[in-house]
Amino acid sequence: MMKFQGKTALITGASRGIGRAIAIELAKQGFKRLLLVARNRQQLAKVAAEIEVLGVEVVPLAIDLTDSAAVNISIAQAWRDRGPIHLLVNCAGVAHQASFLRSPMPLIQEELALNLMGTYTITSLIARRMAAQKEGTIVNVSSLMGKFAAPTMATYSATKFAILGFTQALRSELAPYNIKVTALLPSLTDTDMVRDFHQFRWVVPMTAKTVAQALIVGLQKDSPEILVGWQSHLAVWCHRIAPWLMELVLKMATPQLQTQPNPRQKLREALAGSR
């Protein structure tokens, strides 16, 4: 069971959504210091102000996780100036919903760069330092889509599968250094990132606060994987005993996007209309 009192945590993607909710929940659990990482400096400042009211020291770090040099410098400075980090929560990510055949390559590259390489970069820097101090916990936020892929979310699903595999590998590899590694697997969550999505049928979005509270419970139980909500448990159970049925359900639940305009075509139309 992880002890929260007096510890320091770093949360990526902390300016909104699940990352923000996790930061607030950790502050309520007795963490002494929170390092908040995101690209949006102004939004980070707002979240920091919310948390400081709770009597917790907050260090906003406006970093682009796809810039490995900047991440390296910032983490080295933060560790030197603020002391050791006991908990890393990798929550930063982006998702684009589109038919794979109509997905522009820049959007695919953005998901791979942030969801995967951003997570790899900061985890590598912090895990080495945790290994030296023989203490640490790493939480990688995957998704229910890391258990089974969802049509119209091919690249996002691919990154979340990869994060789950990354987590499983690190769990064994880092155990000799007294570092615990766990995966948090929320299903559809009501955040800014997904509000413009075409909704999957029968899926009831959960709140970011629910996800954050589930993480706290999972950390207290030392759970290797934390599923959030009854829908997630039901879906995983169904996938284990009847994967063909789960594929059928997903096919029926998936919104039909093939009739939607190509994102590039929409851009061309918008530009043409402005002339």
Side-chain angles (χ1 to χ4, degrees):
M1 173 176 156
M2 182 179 182
K3 296 179 181 178
F4 300 151
Q5 295 295 323
K7 301 291 188 178
T8 296
L10 185 149
I11 306 99
T12 71
S15 63
R16 60 177 187 165
I18 294 174
R20 171 184 170 275
I22 288 173
I24 292 172
E25 202 61 38
L26 291 176
K28 293 177 180 178
Q29 296 297 323
F31 273 79
K32 176 179 71 174
R33 182 183 298 113
L34 298 180
L35 281 62
L36 308 183
V37 173
R39 288 180 284 195
N40 190 316
R41 189 180 301 274
Q42 292 182 332
Q43 194 61 38
L44 268 180
K46 291 180 181 178
V47 178
E50 288 183 71
I51 294 174
E52 285 171 340
V53 173
L54 301 173
V56 177
E57 180 186 349
V58 183
V59 183
L61 299 173
I63 312 171
D64 181 351
L65 292 179
T66 64
D67 183 346
S68 59
V71 175
N72 202 332
I73 293 169
S74 295
I75 295 305
Q77 290 177 342
W79 199 285
R80 180 193 65 203
D81 298 340
R82 307 289 179 173
I85 294 166
H86 306 96
L87 170 65
L88 167 64
V89 181
N90 284 311
C91 194
V94 65
H96 300 295
Q97 184 184 37
S99 162
F100 178 71
L101 296 179
R102 295 173 179 267
S103 297
M105 188 55 67
L107 297 186
I108 293 174
Q109 291 171 332
E110 181 187 15
E111 286 183 280
L112 293 172
L114 180 57
N115 298 7
L116 277 185
M117 292 313 301
T119 296
Y120 275 48
T121 298
I122 196 164
T123 301
S124 173
L125 293 170
I126 292 179
R128 287 191 177 99
R129 290 170 168 84
M130 286 180 170
Q133 71 186 17
K134 296 288 186 179
E135 178 187 6
T137 299
I138 298 171
V139 175
N140 293 324
V141 180
S142 179
S143 167
L144 192 58
M145 292 185 192
K147 286 288 189 181
F148 39 83
T152 74
M153 304 292 293
T155 308
Y156 182 76
S157 293
T159 64
K160 294 304 180 179
F161 265 81
I163 287 172
L164 194 56
F166 180 55
T167 303
Q168 291 171 352
L170 291 189
R171 187 176 299 130
S172 296
E173 220 175 303
L174 299 182
Y177 300 97
N178 194 33
I179 299 173
K180 296 175 181 177
V181 188
T182 189
L184 177 64
L185 295 92
S187 63
L188 183 66
T189 307
D190 186 14
T191 64
D192 294 342
M193 188 174 72
V194 303
R195 282 182 186 146
D196 292 332
F197 280 16
H198 295 265
Q199 297 298 317
F200 287 77
R201 297 179 187 88
W202 314 308
V203 177
V204 180
M206 63 183 61
T207 66
K209 183 177 181 179
T210 299
V211 178
Q213 291 173 338
L215 172 61
I216 298 301
V217 173
L219 289 174
Q220 290 172 335
K221 294 180 177 179
D222 286 334
S223 303
E225 289 186 0
I226 304 168
L227 288 169
V228 187
W230 67 269
Q231 285 187 314
S232 296
H233 286 86
L234 177 62
V236 169
W237 177 79
C238 181
H239 184 64
R240 283 175 182 166
I241 65 169
W244 62 269
L245 178 59
M246 195 63 215
E247 286 190 17
L248 178 61
V249 170
L250 275 171
K251 185 176 180 180
M252 294 172 63
T254 300
Q256 299 300 309
L257 298 186
Q258 61 265 32
T259 58
Q260 299 296 320
N262 186 312
R264 288 177 178 166
Q265 182 61 32
K266 290 170 70 175
L267 178 59
R268 293 192 196 100
E269 292 172 357
L271 292 173
S274 63
R275 291 172 184 164

